[in-house]
Amino acid sequence: MIEQTSGDLHAALTAVGVGAQRIAALWWPSLWICTLVFCAVIAGLVLALTRRGRAQDGSTAAADDGDRRARLPIAAAVAVSVGLLVVLMALSVGADRALAKIDAAGAVEIEVIGHQWWWELRYRDPDPSRSFVTANELHLPAGRPVLLKLSAADVIHSFWLPTLAGKRDLIPGSPATLVLRVDTPGRHRGQCAEFCGLQHAHMGLLAIVETPAAWAAWAERQRRPAAPPGDARAARGLALVEQGSCAMCHNIEGTRANGVHGPDLSHLASRERLAAGTLANEAANLAAWITNPHRYKPGVTMPALTYPAADLDAIVAYLSELE
Amino acid sequence: MKALASTPVRRNSVPPTPEDRALLDATWRDPPGFRGWCMAVNHKSIGRRFIITAFVFFAAGGLLAALMRWQLAVPDNHVLGPDTYNQIFTLHGSTMMFLFAVPVMQAVAVYLLPLTLGARAIAFPRMNAYAYWVYLFGGLLLFAGFVFDAGPDAGWFAYVPLSGPEYSPGKRVDYWAQLITFTELSALLEAIIIVTTVMKLRAPGMTLTRMPLYAWAMLVTACMVIFAMPAVMFASTALLLDRLVGTEFFNPGEDGEPLLWQHLFWFFGHPEVYLIFIPGLGFMSAIIATFARRPIVGYVPMVLSLVATGFLAFGLWVHHMFATTLPDAGKDIFTISSMLIAIPSAVQIFCWIATLWLGRLEFRTPLLFVLAFFVILVLGGLTGLQLASVPLDLQLHDTYFVVAHLHYVLIGGAVFPLFGACYYWFPKFTGRLLDERAGRWHFWLWFVGFNLSFFPMHLLGLDGMPRRVYTYPAEMGWGTLNLLATAGAVLLAAGVLVFGGNVLRSLRHGERAGPDPWRGGTLEWATESPPSPANFDALWVVHSAYPLWDPQPMARVSGLATSHREVLVTTPGVARPDTRVIFPDPSPWPLAAALATAVLFVGSIYTPWAVVWAMIPVAATLTAWFWPSARETAEHLDVERAP
C-alpha cells in the first residue's frame, strides 16, 4: 500500500519544538529501561519454563523448601525493579521541571480558542490596533518564544502539535497557557486531541514556522483590513456575503460582514486549508464547501447554502481574493 | 404453629449417607419450570446466568469493536458516519467496562467463591439474584437505546460540558448515566455479597492465611468496588440532575466545574482498571499453582501485594488529567504514586515465575492463556509507566498509544486470564472438559491477533493519531498500521468463534471431567462436577492453603440440617465455627423488585417525578420480599432447637 504523506510533520518523536525535544529526550531512556525490564521478565519466564532436571512425574509438591530458595532471587529482582523505578521517576520529574522552564520572555502572545470544530487564533499586541484574528493556521516566528493562552468556547478541546510540544487541554472556564519555541522554519500538523463531538476527527491545525522576517511580513498582511473587491464579479460577491447568511457568522475586516460565530475570513485566501484542515483551499473546494459542508464534515455548524451558480461564482471569486 | 405442617428437622452425618444427599439436593435445588427460573437464588444458577449474560455483552462489545476497525481500516472511509461511530465507540467502552469486565469477574465469583471457600451458598442469595436482574436490565436499557437511535455518543467517560444539556440534547447521555446507576448498584450489591461470603462463610479451619489467593483477590476487588463505585454513581446522578432539573454541578457558566466531573470519574475510573485485573491475578494464582503442581511461592507477599494494589489504586487518578489545568507540581506526585503501583505487580510476577521455575509443569490450555499474561500485561504495565510520566503523557495522552496501552493491560491482565479460567473451571461448571486442540487454536489466534491488532497502535499514537476519531486523512500516512490492526481484529474474532464453538460442542460431547480433572488443590475440586445444589454433602474442615494436596485426609462437619437451608457461619479471622443461619428460600420478589427498580431508573430519565411515584412499587416489592411467614419462623425455631 502506498501512503501519501504530506510534508507536514506530525510524529511526536520528530521533535522540532523545544518542548517536544525535551519530551523526546525523556522518551528514549524510558523506552530503553522498559525494554530492558521486558526482556528480563520474558527471559526469566522462558528459563523457568524450559528448566531441565526437575521431576516430571506430575506429582504434587505440597511442601518443599522452594519458598526459602526463591526468597533471595525474588528480593533481588524486586530491589532492581525499585531501583529502575526510582531512575524513571527522577528522569520524569527532571524533564517536567525542564518543560516548566521554557523561557517566555519577549514572547508573541496568541489566544487560542477552541470551537466545535475549529481553532480561533487571536494574535495579541500591546498596541491593540496591531492585534489581529485568524483561524486554523498558526504562523510562528522561528527562534522566538510564543505564549499561547488557551481557552474553549463550548466543550473541552485539546491543543496538540506533536512535533512542537506536549498537548494542553482547553477547558471552558479554566484558561491555560503553553509556551512554544521552535528554532527552525518548517510545517507542522496537529489536531484536537480531546473528544469534542461529531467532528472531533476534522479539527486539524496547521502550524507554519517562518523566519522572523517572513513571519513579520505575514503578520503585517494579516493586520490589514480585507482587500477591496478587484472587479465587478468580486464586488457582487462581497455584496452577497454582506447581505446574505455569510455575514451572520463570519467577520471580514473592513466590510459589513461582522459575525462572530465562525472563523474570521478577512484573509481566507492566505490560508492553505479550509474547514480546519479538512479541504485544500481551492476555488472548487470552496464552492463545494459553501454548497454542502455536511458532505465533508457531517454535523458542522455551517449550514448548507443554496445560490444560483453565478452568485456562488461571485462569492468564491471574492473570497479567493482575500489574501 | 405446628399445624402449618413444617418439615421435620434432619441433620447430616459423616460420612454422608445417600439419604443426606437426596435431602440436601431437594432442600437446595431451585424450583423447576419457568416460575422456578424466575425465583432462582442458588448461587450456581445465578452465577451461570451472570457469566453467560456477561459473555453475551462481551460478544456485543466485540462486534462494535469490529465495526470500528472496519471503519478505520482505510483512510477517509465511509462505512460509518460520525454519529454512528461516536455511538459505537461510546457503547463499546461502556459495554466492555460496565457490562463485561467488572460484572464477569463478579459473576465468576458468584459461581466459584462458595465452592472454593467450601460453603453451601453465597451470602444474601436473594440480593444476589436481585443484583443480577438489575445488571441485566441496565444492559438491556443501554442496547435498547442504541437500537432506537438513542445510543449515548459522548464517550464512555462522558466528559462535561460535551455530555451536558447544552451540547448533548436529547436522551442519549441520560441513557448512559442511568446505565451507570444500574450497573453500579449491581456491582455494589455484589461487592457486599462477596465481602460477606469471604469473611463469614469460609470452611471451618480456613484461616485468612489459608484462604485461596483467588479469594483474596476477590476480597480486595470487592472492597475496592465499595469505595470506587459511589464516586461514579454520584457523578452520573449529578450529571442526570444537570440535564433533567437544571442543577449546575458541571456548568462553568454558572460556577459549576467541568474538572469536578473528571476527578469523580477517574477516582472511580482508575481503581476500575485494577478491580478488573485483580480478579485476573486471582485466576493466575489458581491456574499456575495447579499446572506447576505446587503452591504459589510467597503466599504472604502475594496477599500483601494484592492489598497494596488495592490501596495504591486510589491514589493515582490524576494521571488521566495531566493535560488539564491542574497545578504542575501536584502532577509529579501522581507520577510517583502511579509508578509505585508497579512494585506490587512486580512482586507477584516474580513469585509466579519462581513458582513456574520450581514446579512440575503441565502445558494445558489454561496455562497457555496464563503465560500470555506475562508477555501482554508486562508490556502494558511498562507503557503504563511511560504514561505515568507527566512529560511523556503530554504527548501520549488521548492518542492511539493509550488505546494500545489500555488493551494490553485489560485484555492481557483480565481477558487472557479469564479465558484461562474458562478452560480451567469449565469442567467444574459443566462436568465436561473443553477440547484441548480447539483451545490451542483459540489461544494462538488470540495471542497473534491481539498483538497484531494492538501493537501497531503504539506507533500510530507516537505518529500523532488521536483517539476517538471516526476517520483520518490519507496524507497522514496512518493507513498501513490501521489496516494491520484491522487484520488482527479479524483473528481475534475468529478466536472468539472457535471458543464459542468449543463451548457449545463440549457441553454435549466434551470428555467427562469427574470431580477433579486437573488434580487441583483447593476445595472446589472436592465435590462433583457440576456440583450438587448444596455444593458439598458434608462441609470440609481445612488445615492448609491447598487442602486437597495435604497428605492427611480432611475432616468433615456433621450435624448441619439437610432438611433446611442451614449454613455454617465462621469467624472472619480464623474461621472457627461461629453460628448457624437459615438461608432464604427461592423467591420471585428479587425479580419483581429489580423490575420496579428498573421502572424507577428508566422513568427518572424522563421525569424527576418518577423518583417519587416509582418508589411505591419498589417499596411494595421489597416489603413482599422481606415479609416474614409464620411457617418459616416456626421452622427456623425448630431448627435452632432441634438437637
Side-chain angles (χ1 to χ4, degrees):
Chain A
M1 181 167 174
I2 297 157
E3 305 269 357
Q4 301 174 297
T5 44
S6 67
D8 305 336
L9 301 175
H10 52 72
L13 297 177
T14 316
V16 179
V18 174
Q21 283 169 345
R22 290 184 185 172
I23 297 175
L26 172 63
W27 164 263
W28 293 110
S30 108
L31 181 67
W32 286 120
I33 292 178
C34 290
T35 309
L36 181 77
V37 171
F38 182 72
C39 292
V41 170
I42 299 304
L45 177 70
V46 170
L47 285 176
L49 295 180
T50 54
R51 188 172 71 97
R52 288 167 195 286
R54 58 180 138 205
Q56 290 297 350
D57 57 357
S59 63
T60 307
D64 60 20
D65 64 345
D67 275 46
R68 196 180 48 74
R69 280 192 291 148
R71 199 174 294 160
L72 193 64
I74 290 176
V78 172
V80 171
S81 310
V82 172
L84 290 173
L85 264 186
V86 171
V87 173
L88 277 181
M89 287 173 190
L91 288 173
S92 170
V93 174
D96 199 29
R97 298 297 87 196
L99 281 184
K101 281 184 193 140
I102 299 175
D103 191 10
V108 178
E109 209 178 293
I110 309 170
E111 263 183 67
V112 178
I113 304 164
H115 293 264
Q116 280 180 322
W117 294 273
W118 59 283
W119 306 90
E120 180 180 352
L121 307 168
R122 309 183 79 95
Y123 283 69
R124 289 293 180 197
D125 196 283
D127 172 2
S129 69
R130 290 174 58 77
S131 297
F132 60 89
V133 182
T134 180
N136 300 331
E137 189 174 299
L138 197 57
H139 285 248
L140 307 171
R144 185 171 160 195
V146 175
L147 176 65
L148 300 176
K149 298 194 156 177
L150 308 170
S151 61
D154 36 46
V155 301
I156 301 178
H157 303 276
S158 190
F159 179 93
W160 188 37
L161 285 159
T163 42
L164 300 189
K167 60 184 70 66
R168 193 84 169 150
D169 289 351
L170 288 67
I171 302 173
S174 48
T177 57
L178 177 66
V179 181
L180 295 183
R181 207 187 79 214
V182 196
D183 293 333
T184 47
R187 299 162 51 85
H188 307 268
R189 194 189 184 280
Q191 69 187 90
C192 175
E194 182 61 77
F195 178 65
C196 56
L198 272 183
Q199 282 302 329
H200 170 55
H202 287 130
M203 190 169 162
L205 176 67
L206 187 63
I208 298 174
V209 184
E210 300 165 305
T211 60
W215 179 80
W218 170 83
E220 208 45 58
R221 287 196 299 279
Q222 298 289 317
R223 282 186 194 107
R224 288 190 210 129
D231 58 17
R233 192 166 62 133
R236 189 170 141 65
L238 170 59
L240 284 163
V241 166
E242 286 183 325
Q243 291 152 23
S245 4
C246 307
M248 312 284 281
C249 298
H250 294 284
N251 180 53
I252 300 177
E253 205 58 41
T255 72
R256 285 184 294 154
N258 296 123
V260 294
H261 301 295
D264 188 294
L265 301 181
S266 307
H267 301 279
L268 176 68
S270 74
R271 305 206 282 261
E272 293 184 19
R273 311 283 297 178
L274 293 172
T278 311
L279 294 169
N281 190 359
E282 293 157 3
N285 282 344
L286 188 53
W289 172 258
I290 293 171
T291 336
N292 189 7
H294 295 265
R295 182 176 158 204
Y296 305 97
K297 229 169 146 168
V300 70
T301 332
M302 169 134 163
L305 300 172
T306 324
Y307 287 104
D311 288 1
L312 185 62
D313 259 9
I315 293 173
V316 171
Y318 172 65
L319 293 176
S320 305
E321 284 181 3
L322 298 176
E323 289 281 347
Chain B
M1 286 299 175
K2 292 281 178 195
L4 289 167
S6 63
T7 326
V9 181
R10 306 287 298 278
R11 301 195 170 278
N12 81 313
S13 42
V14 169
T17 62
E19 191 194 352
D20 284 352
R21 170 60 192 270
L23 211 48
L24 274 171
D25 282 2
T27 305
W28 286 90
R29 181 171 290 137
D30 287 321
F34 176 73
R35 196 175 138 273
W37 189 81
C38 296
M39 293 168 66
V41 291
N42 192 301
H43 73 97
K44 294 180 292 298
S45 316
I46 301 295
R48 200 161 45 228
R49 260 172 230 186
F50 219 143
I51 294 171
I52 292 170
T53 312
F55 270 99
V56 169
F57 283 126
F58 175 65
L63 214 57
L64 297 169
L67 285 172
M68 286 192 282
R69 285 316 322 164
W70 188 10
Q71 162 71 7
L72 292 175
V74 291
D76 297 313
N77 203 359
H78 292 292
V79 179
L80 306 174
D83 182 54
T84 317
Y85 186 90
N86 291 349
Q87 288 185 61
I88 285 179
F89 92 73
T90 302
L91 212 59
H92 168 74
S94 305
T95 303
M96 289 306 196
M97 298 302 264
F98 296 115
L99 295 176
F100 170 65
V102 176
V104 79
M105 297 304 181
Q106 295 188 327
V108 174
V110 163
Y111 195 107
L112 207 58
L113 261 185
L115 291 164
T116 215
L117 297 173
R120 283 240 186 280
I122 200 158
F124 312 125
R126 286 186 182 177
M127 189 159 96
N128 187 38
Y130 173 76
Y132 167 72
W133 293 117
V134 166
Y135 155 74
L136 176 69
F137 296 149
L140 291 180
L141 167 77
L142 184 72
F143 277 85
F146 179 61
V147 169
F148 296 117
D149 199 31
D153 56 355
W156 84 279
F157 45 92
Y159 272 13
V160 287
L162 183 63
S163 63
E166 200 178 343
Y167 299 100
S168 290
K171 290 294 173 194
R172 291 177 161 191
V173 173
D174 303 286
Y175 275 75
W176 179 85
Q178 277 314 49
L179 160 86
I180 303 302
T181 317
F182 269 104
T183 52
E184 307 308 299
L185 172 62
S186 164
L188 274 171
L189 295 177
E190 286 299 349
I192 291 164
I193 290 165
I194 288 169
V195 171
T196 313
T197 305
V198 172
M199 296 316 284
K200 298 299 292 179
L201 298 182
R202 299 200 304 274
M206 186 185 279
T207 64
L208 283 180
T209 52
R210 293 174 189 159
M211 196 160 91
L213 287 167
Y214 169 66
W216 268 109
M218 287 317 300
L219 177 65
V220 171
T221 305
C223 290
M224 289 178 70
V225 168
I226 291 172
F227 286 97
M229 295 296 183
V232 74
M233 276 182 90
F234 168 70
S236 67
T237 306
L239 177 63
L240 207 62
L241 287 171
D242 269 16
R243 296 176 55 86
L244 193 66
V245 298
T247 54
E248 310 284 5
F249 286 104
F250 305 121
N251 180 0
E254 297 288 342
D255 288 339
E257 178 55 77
L259 279 178
L260 172 64
W261 170 268
Q262 299 190 19
H263 281 296
L264 289 170
F265 189 81
W266 292 117
F267 185 79
F268 139 82
H270 204 83
E272 162 106 342
V273 175
Y274 291 93
L275 60 91
I276 287 168
F277 107 105
I278 289 179
L281 304 180
F283 297 151
M284 296 281 297
S285 290
I287 295 170
I288 289 179
T290 296
F291 294 98
R293 314 225 57 73
R294 78 178 315 289
I296 296 291
V297 169
Y299 183 92
V300 174
M302 290 295 286
V303 170
L304 292 180
S305 297
L306 286 173
V307 176
T309 308
F311 276 101
L312 287 171
F314 284 91
L316 34 77
W317 77 95
V318 171
H319 75 218
H320 294 268
M321 301 166 66
F322 283 159
T324 65
T325 50
L326 297 179
D328 285 340
K331 290 176 189 166
D332 283 330
I333 293 170
F334 286 90
T335 293
I336 291 168
S337 66
S338 305
M339 288 189 179
L340 278 181
I341 206 160
I343 296 172
S345 305
V347 170
Q348 294 179 77
I349 287 168
F350 298 145
C351 288
W352 287 322
I353 291 181
T355 310
L356 292 167
W357 173 275
L358 292 163
R360 302 154 193 203
L361 304 181
E362 279 184 273
F363 286 97
R364 306 294 292 267
T365 308
L367 186 63
L368 287 183
F369 275 98
V370 152
L371 293 179
F373 170 100
F374 288 94
V375 179
I376 296 172
L377 184 276
V378 169
L379 207 152
L382 291 168
T383 54
L385 292 179
Q386 297 182 304
L387 288 166
S389 156
V390 176
L392 293 179
D393 183 67
L394 292 179
Q395 284 287 23
L396 304 174
H397 179 65
D398 273 340
T399 69
Y400 261 83
F401 191 92
V402 178
V403 179
H405 160 74
L406 77 93
H407 286 94
Y408 267 79
V409 171
L410 291 177
I411 295 185
V415 180
F416 272 91
L418 177 69
F419 277 130
C422 287
Y423 284 89
Y424 182 58
W425 280 301
F426 187 84
K428 182 49 63 186
F429 296 169
T430 65
R432 290 177 187 273
L433 289 155
L434 281 169
D435 185 60
E436 273 290 301
R437 216 164 72 98
R440 274 157 210 269
W441 270 98
H442 173 200
F443 170 76
W444 285 110
L445 281 169
W446 258 63
F447 189 75
V448 174
F450 174 84
N451 286 296
L452 189 61
S453 197
F454 291 101
F455 193 84
M457 294 185 188
H458 293 110
L459 308 175
L460 283 170
L462 287 168
D463 200 19
M465 181 167 170
R467 305 170 71 173
R468 300 155 187 155
V469 289
Y470 75 98
T471 187
Y472 53 91
E475 64 262 23
M476 301 306 281
W478 297 329
T480 310
L481 289 172
N482 270 298
L483 194 62
L484 270 184
T486 302
V490 173
L491 296 186
L492 289 173
V496 170
L497 288 179
V498 169
F499 175 65
N502 193 358
V503 167
L504 292 179
R505 198 180 169 283
S506 301
L507 277 175
R508 283 164 177 247
H509 307 291
E511 191 188 327
R512 293 222 177 257
D516 187 7
W518 314 113
R519 287 171 300 152
T522 41
L523 280 184
E524 73 269 29
W525 304 111
T527 184
E528 69 261 63
S529 315
S532 63
N535 290 351
F536 302 95
D537 297 346
L539 295 188
W540 296 103
V541 179
V542 168
H543 296 288
S544 78
Y546 299 87
L548 271 66
W549 292 347
D550 259 356
Q552 79 262 36
M554 289 185 287
R556 311 195 80 164
V557 178
S558 66
L560 271 184
T562 49
S563 52
H564 293 79
R565 297 182 170 233
E566 192 176 43
V567 164
L568 181 66
V569 175
T570 52
T571 55
V574 294
R576 196 175 296 127
D578 191 10
T579 176
R580 297 168 300 157
V581 173
I582 307 276
F583 267 31
D585 291 325
S587 157
W589 292 110
L591 172 58
L595 277 169
T597 312
V599 169
L600 191 158
F601 287 166
V602 176
S604 59
I605 291 177
Y606 293 93
T607 160
W609 287 104
V611 179
V612 180
W613 55 253
M615 277 295 182
I616 298 165
V618 172
T621 47
L622 288 179
T623 307
W625 173 341
F626 291 106
W627 198 262
S629 97
R631 184 184 58 83
E632 269 178 25
T633 312
E635 290 201 2
H636 292 185
L637 284 171
D638 270 0
V639 175
E640 228 178 272
R641 288 189 198 114

